[in-house]
Amino acid sequence: MHLTLLPAPTRHVPTTAPHPDLVHMEGDRWIKGAGTPYPVLDLLVADGWSIVLDHRADVHAGSPDGRAYVGYLPESPHTRLGDLWHITVEGTADRPGWEQVFGAAVPAEVVAGFVAALLTARDRPDEF
């Protein structure tokens, strides 16, 4: 067998974001940095989650059924390790639970997209 290496195809890299919601309000720059937690918290409040602000100013959110948790932990010792967002879903006898962590460099809008997908997937009949 003989392999021939060919040059990689040229890719067009877009100069603007593919969707207006993905750009910062100031112009063409992509969103970056942690930003504010409100894009995530607004989704959770609208879905009936309980929100608690603790003595360190960390924000904890619990789903109405108590099986899912979203933590925004800017003052937690975990943040010193780079873990700003903690998202967990408790498992059942049939399905394992899981956890997803996002660091301080991940924009809150990206975390909000993840949470929105989680809230949508929750409604699937074969899930949770």
Side-chain angles (χ1 to χ4, degrees):
M1 175 178 208
H2 179 71
L3 290 175
T4 303
L5 297 176
L6 299 174
T10 304
R11 288 185 43 184
H12 170 70
V13 177
T15 57
T16 60
H19 191 278
D21 291 342
L22 296 179
V23 292
H24 199 277
M25 297 300 268
E26 295 175 10
D28 292 346
R29 296 178 304 159
W30 286 84
I31 56 174
K32 56 187 172 183
T36 172
Y38 295 111
V40 176
L41 298 178
D42 290 347
L43 284 173
L44 299 175
V45 167
D47 199 56
W49 288 46
S50 300
I51 307 291
V52 175
L53 181 68
D54 73 13
H55 67 284
R56 289 188 307 239
D58 291 332
V59 180
H60 307 272
S63 64
D65 66 2
R67 296 198 42 235
Y69 166 83
V70 174
Y72 175 73
L73 311 173
E75 301 302 324
S76 169
H78 295 315
T79 303
R80 285 182 228 123
L81 303 173
D83 301 341
L84 181 62
W85 292 93
H86 288 251
I87 301 170
T88 60
V89 173
E90 296 298 322
T92 66
D94 299 328
R95 294 189 183 274
W98 56 269
E99 177 179 27
Q100 176 64 49
V101 177
F102 292 99
V106 177
E109 293 84 353
V110 172
V111 179
F114 181 87
V115 168
L118 171 66
L119 295 175
T120 302
R122 173 202 57 207
D123 295 332
R124 292 192 322 213
D126 63 338
E127 297 290 321
F128 313 112

